[in-house]
Amino acid sequence: FGDEELPASVTATVDLDLSGWLWTLDGTYLVIDDPDHPMKLLAGARMFDLSTDLKWQLEGDLAGSPFPGRNGVANGSETIWDAIIGVRGRVHFGDGLRWFVPYYADVGGGNSKFTWQAILGGGYSFSWGDLIVAWRYLDYEFKSGTPMQSLTFNGVAAGVSLKF
């Protein structure tokens, strides 16, 4: 108080684990039937299964005397279903049209207030399939009154598609 420091200290240790699964099921309709730039409209559903585990521990002292530590654990899980609509395609270029730029975008809502996803990358086609490297961005805005207000994931994605 004033210029005097309180003779107390508190240390907090917090560990949060967040894990989840994301599944998208959609149907497509070919709207541009061009070998150089095929494009499809899509409609379907996205399921996001999210689990959280929180552990905390508080320790401290008052005037050099330790007081009993406090700790706790909380966990939860939720499955979120959203209807989505969007577009996917690729733009081919280069010798033999083996190089391509894949793109994907969708928007939706349902259990969440609003969600959207975008993917943009580069790829190369072989006779057996494709190699793809892309940047993926996924955003969720949840309805009011939920423990989480928003959640965003983004980063590099790599994949292989096989042709049968």
Side-chain angles (χ1 to χ4, degrees):
F1 295 98
D3 291 332
E4 296 292 320
E5 288 188 23
L6 290 176
S9 67
V10 175
T11 302
T13 304
V14 179
D15 181 28
L16 174 64
D17 289 325
L18 180 70
S19 62
W21 284 94
L22 183 74
W23 294 89
T24 302
L25 178 64
D26 62 43
T28 61
Y29 177 76
L30 185 64
V31 291
I32 298 178
D33 190 8
D34 179 353
D36 294 349
H37 178 236
M39 184 173 71
K40 299 175 181 178
L41 295 179
L42 63 94
R46 180 166 42 242
M47 188 265 314
F48 184 33
D49 186 49
L50 183 64
S51 297
T52 58
D53 292 309
L54 175 67
K55 298 173 189 166
W56 71 88
Q57 182 173 353
L58 299 173
E59 296 177 351
D61 69 69
L62 182 61
S65 299
F67 53 85
R70 299 283 186 229
N71 57 32
V73 175
N75 52 37
S77 65
E78 186 167 356
T79 302
I80 300 158
W81 284 94
D82 292 302
I84 59 166
I85 58 170
V87 62
R88 83 169 46 160
R90 51 173 64 184
V91 178
H92 292 272
F93 61 93
D95 185 34
L97 300 178
R98 290 186 167 275
W99 291 98
F100 61 93
V101 174
Y103 60 91
Y104 176 98
D106 71 35
V107 296
N111 289 134
S112 70
K113 183 176 179 182
F114 182 72
T115 181
W116 67 276
Q117 178 178 211
I119 302 170
L120 183 64
Y124 189 81
S125 291
F126 297 91
S127 60
W128 52 265
D130 301 327
L131 292 178
I132 301 168
V133 175
W135 189 266
R136 181 179 186 184
Y137 193 96
L138 174 65
D139 185 72
Y140 273 91
E141 184 180 333
F142 298 104
K143 296 178 179 176
S144 62
T146 59
M148 237 183 308
Q149 297 302 304
S150 65
L151 192 59
T152 300
F153 299 97
N154 71 88
V156 175
V160 175
S161 67
L162 302 175
K163 296 177 186 173
F164 293 99

